[in-house]
Amino acid sequence: MKELSKGYSQEAIFENDNPANVQYLFSKSKISIFNIPVIWFAIFAAVTLTSMYTGNLPGGMIGSLLVMVVLGELFGWLGDRLPIVKTYLGGGAILAIFGSAYMVYSGLLPETITTSITDFMKTGGFLNFYIAALITGSILGMNSKILVKVGLRYFLPIGGAVLGAIALTGIIGSIVGFTLQEAVLVIAMPIMGGGMGAGAVPMSQVYSELLGNDPSYYISMLVPALALGNVFAIVLASLLDKIGKVYPSLTGNGQLVKGFTYEKPELKYDIQKMGAGLLAALTFFAVGTLLGAVIPLHPYAIMIILVAITKIANIIPTQVVDGASQWYQFVAKNWTLALLFGIGVAYTDLGTVLEALTLQYALIVFGVVLGAIMGAALLGKLVGFYPIEAAITAGLCMANMGGTGDVAVLSAAKRMELMPFAQISSRLGGALILLIAGLLIPLFV
């Protein structure tokens, strides 16, 4: 009789048809995905894929979230174990994004599923739902004294990122044969502009008004820069995390300044408190949207300001603060890879990225992102920030694709607690870029 591990025989496992004994075979695997034994995860994945490819996947949120969780976690698990991807390319975060983007590009993901996930991410509001939880929970979990201390100083590394990006772009552009206008206006500005909705689309309107041509003409030029810049931002975020491990004096490991910490609640998780935290996140987002209708700021930016004010004023009940912190941790832990898979499906055009992959173009885009890192790190250090955290938030989160890019960059850098500062860079920094673009364009005409 062949003995199983730990001395269990086949008869012992299956005697009396005891379900608890049968379960042993399915629960003792040392390999787990999504904190589930790999055998059980494979069963869930088989059900999901069978439903997908037979056209029987439930519609709406259930089917979309099922595919996003299962395939997102699978890509994330693989990416964190593939040697080159794990070490140099962002690991599971980048594989979840570009694995799903490739499935769309190659037709491996059925068109109905692509449409369903895209609707769930955009019109269904899953991205907003996720970011609302992160902003509310992470700000309410901050030390209020340090929140005040960071204050307006954060805009200095943002300015450093912009100056560094423009300077290095101009230098590299002149070397590879691009004019200053092409390098700065067509490549650097859209990359630093806060994504498609907040950056490239309004920027195309500004270009159209000042330079002529239809906005769609400029969109077609801006999108490749934006997409490729987002790729470099994710990859370099992972690299900065590795640099921080080699040179620990450069990083606060998620702290922006010394003494700045995310205060994880010491109590055990309380489901009722988490419900209160969910309600707080939804309410703050609703208020941000409401005020955004009359205030010329993005709802995310308004939301950040409101949550910060309530934290500093200490007017939110302790149980709501704890609940928001716990809800944030639940969302970040369980839905990040699912969201990244959705970002790859709904927001990442792999064909556009591939079209932009000429050596000269790629070098200039790399120069934009590298310049943003250098400028943010330098000015960040001058005002007391850790260089790596300043480079990630004020630099890379200016150079990515807005909210979706913030999630991908912070996930690759393993610093999701910095989401509020990432959103300041994407939203308020993006508005700053639109202003700068409007001032620079007449100089090039």
Side-chain angles (χ1 to χ4, degrees):
M1 175 59 60
K2 181 179 178 181
E3 296 294 320
L4 299 180
S5 64
K6 295 189 177 179
Y8 289 88
S9 67
Q10 291 178 3
E11 283 86 352
I13 291 296
F14 293 101
E15 67 180 358
N16 301 323
D17 294 324
N18 188 337
N21 292 332
V22 174
Q23 187 181 21
Y24 175 85
L25 285 178
F26 292 89
S27 63
K28 295 305 288 184
S29 172
K30 294 181 180 179
I31 301 174
S32 65
I33 303 177
F34 199 48
N35 202 33
I36 299 171
V38 68
I39 295 176
W40 276 109
F41 187 87
I43 293 173
F44 295 149
V47 171
T48 302
L49 294 173
T50 301
S51 300
M52 278 177 51
Y53 291 113
T54 60
N56 293 301
L57 188 75
M61 182 183 77
I62 293 178
S64 298
L65 192 56
L66 176 62
V67 172
M68 290 163 62
V69 169
V70 169
L71 295 184
E73 290 293 333
L74 180 59
F75 280 133
W77 184 85
L78 290 172
D80 286 338
R81 285 157 180 80
L82 293 174
I84 296 177
V85 175
K86 175 181 70 173
T87 306
Y88 301 106
L89 298 179
I94 201 165
L95 192 62
I97 294 172
F98 289 99
S100 59
Y102 177 76
M103 290 185 73
V104 175
Y105 178 76
S106 63
L108 290 174
L109 195 68
E111 187 174 348
T112 55
I113 308 301
T114 300
T115 302
S116 179
I117 291 176
T118 300
D119 290 342
F120 179 54
M121 289 289 294
K122 294 182 177 180
T123 58
F126 184 62
L127 177 64
N128 289 335
F129 182 76
Y130 180 97
I131 291 178
L134 264 63
I135 289 176
T136 304
S138 55
I139 291 180
L140 290 182
M142 289 180 185
N143 183 310
S144 58
K145 294 180 180 179
I146 301 301
L147 185 59
V148 174
K149 181 180 177 181
V150 171
L152 296 176
R153 287 191 296 162
Y154 183 68
F155 287 93
L156 290 175
I158 285 181
V162 174
L163 293 176
I166 291 176
L168 197 55
T169 301
I171 293 171
I172 295 178
S174 64
I175 294 174
V176 299
F178 278 62
T179 66
L180 191 61
Q181 176 178 339
E182 292 171 332
V184 173
L185 294 184
V186 179
I187 299 179
M189 289 293 101
I191 290 175
M192 301 295 288
M196 281 293 295
V201 172
M203 195 173 294
S204 68
Q205 299 289 340
V206 174
Y207 284 8
S208 177
E209 293 172 5
L210 296 178
L211 298 176
N213 294 316
D214 189 78
S216 61
Y217 169 78
Y218 296 104
I219 283 286
S220 66
M221 296 194 312
L222 302 180
V223 166
L226 197 64
L228 191 56
N230 196 58
V231 174
F232 282 130
I234 298 169
V235 172
L236 290 175
S238 178
L239 183 59
L240 284 175
D241 178 53
K242 301 294 187 300
I243 292 174
K245 290 179 171 60
V246 178
Y247 302 100
S249 63
L250 297 178
T251 179
N253 295 309
Q255 299 180 33
L256 192 59
V257 296
K258 290 183 179 179
F260 170 86
T261 58
Y262 172 76
E263 299 171 352
K264 295 182 181 180
E266 297 179 358
L267 299 176
K268 293 182 178 180
Y269 285 95
D270 186 314
I271 294 175
Q272 288 186 322
K273 284 185 177 181
M274 290 175 67
L278 164 62
L279 179 60
L282 298 179
T283 303
F284 274 116
F285 185 84
V287 175
T289 303
L290 181 65
L291 294 178
V294 294
I295 300 174
L297 286 175
H298 193 280
Y300 286 167
I302 297 173
M303 183 181 176
I304 291 168
I305 295 170
L306 289 175
V307 179
I309 290 173
T310 59
K311 174 64 179 179
I312 293 169
N314 195 28
I315 60 176
I316 303 292
T318 302
Q319 60 266 35
V320 176
V321 172
D322 290 344
S325 299
Q326 293 177 10
W327 175 244
Y328 149 73
Q329 292 176 71
F330 173 86
V331 169
K333 179 67 176 176
N334 292 289
W335 288 342
T336 295
L337 287 170
L339 183 80
L340 295 177
F341 185 92
I343 288 172
V345 172
Y347 294 93
T348 307
D349 187 342
L350 193 58
T352 299
V353 175
L354 295 175
E355 288 174 5
L357 288 181
T358 65
L359 179 60
Q360 293 88 342
Y361 195 93
L363 283 173
I364 294 178
V365 173
F366 181 77
V368 176
V369 181
L370 182 61
I373 288 175
M374 295 169 61
L378 179 60
L379 284 192
K381 183 173 177 59
L382 289 178
V383 294
F385 295 168
Y386 285 107
I388 286 180
E389 275 68 25
I392 291 170
T393 53
L396 293 180
C397 291
M398 281 282 287
N400 60 26
M401 291 184 69
T404 59
D406 291 342
V407 175
V409 164
L410 295 184
S411 179
K414 299 180 177 62
R415 286 166 171 80
M416 293 298 289
E417 62 268 34
L418 293 175
M419 177 60 76
F421 297 101
Q423 286 295 303
I424 291 172
S425 299
S426 293
R427 303 307 168 186
L428 301 184
L432 174 64
I433 290 299
L434 288 175
L435 175 61
I436 293 174
L439 296 174
L440 287 180
I441 288 173
L443 301 178
F444 290 104
V445 176

